[in-house]
Amino acid sequence: MGFIKEFKEFAVQGNVMDMAVGVIIGSAFGKIVSSLVDDIIMPLVGILTGGVDFKEGLIVELGNAKLNYGLFIQNIIDFLIIAFCIFCVVKAINKLKKKKEEPKPEAPAAPTTEELLADIKEILKNKQ
């Protein structure tokens, strides 16, 4: 019974739940970006490159194999957009964390041994 209890505690921890939500949102975001690249960006790039279709137009045939490097280029663009968006989100989160962690006023530095000895010497000198 201990194993099941331990697994339950692990599964409902905040970090695991946050990660699950992140994966789900990331998956949906990936579909949106893929649609953006497939349906909007690549047709515009195709127009700019003289009507080249990146999905079916940029293929090299080597014997029976087809190397679809146009689709590979499209996936690279897809990845770069997602990576840039993630970079922006992480940068914004880090900026918010820095604002929350305002620097605390520093405590005055502790006197050095030499300063303490000099103060004791002054006190003894004044007593005499």
Side-chain angles (χ1 to χ4, degrees):
M1 206 56 155
F3 179 77
I4 294 173
K5 183 179 178 184
E6 188 176 341
F7 177 75
K8 183 179 175 184
E9 288 176 8
F10 166 77
V12 295
Q13 276 182 337
N15 294 341
V16 174
M17 298 305 260
D18 291 345
M19 184 178 68
V21 170
V23 168
I24 292 168
I25 291 174
S27 174
F29 181 70
K31 289 180 183 179
I32 291 170
V33 171
S34 293
S35 177
L36 172 71
V37 171
D38 293 345
D39 303 327
I40 296 174
I41 293 176
M42 294 315 287
L44 293 174
V45 171
I47 291 170
L48 294 174
T49 58
V52 174
D53 180 15
F54 277 76
K55 282 187 179 179
E56 301 296 328
L58 297 177
I59 297 175
V60 174
E61 293 187 26
L62 296 173
N64 292 336
K66 288 185 178 181
L67 302 177
N68 193 344
Y69 68 94
L71 190 57
F72 179 70
I73 292 170
Q74 187 169 337
N75 287 328
I76 289 173
I77 292 171
D78 196 15
F79 168 77
L80 291 175
I81 291 171
I82 291 172
F84 178 74
C85 291
I86 291 171
F87 169 76
C88 290
V89 168
V90 169
K91 187 172 180 174
I93 289 171
N94 287 340
K95 193 173 186 179
L96 289 174
K97 283 183 180 178
K98 284 182 183 178
K99 283 185 179 180
K100 286 183 181 179
E101 297 173 0
E102 293 180 11
K104 297 177 182 175
E106 292 184 21
T112 63
T113 305
E114 290 81 18
E115 291 173 336
L116 290 173
L117 290 174
D119 290 343
I120 293 170
K121 184 178 176 183
E122 283 293 318
I123 291 170
L124 292 174
K125 197 185 268 187
N126 290 338
K127 282 188 176 182
Q128 293 175 354

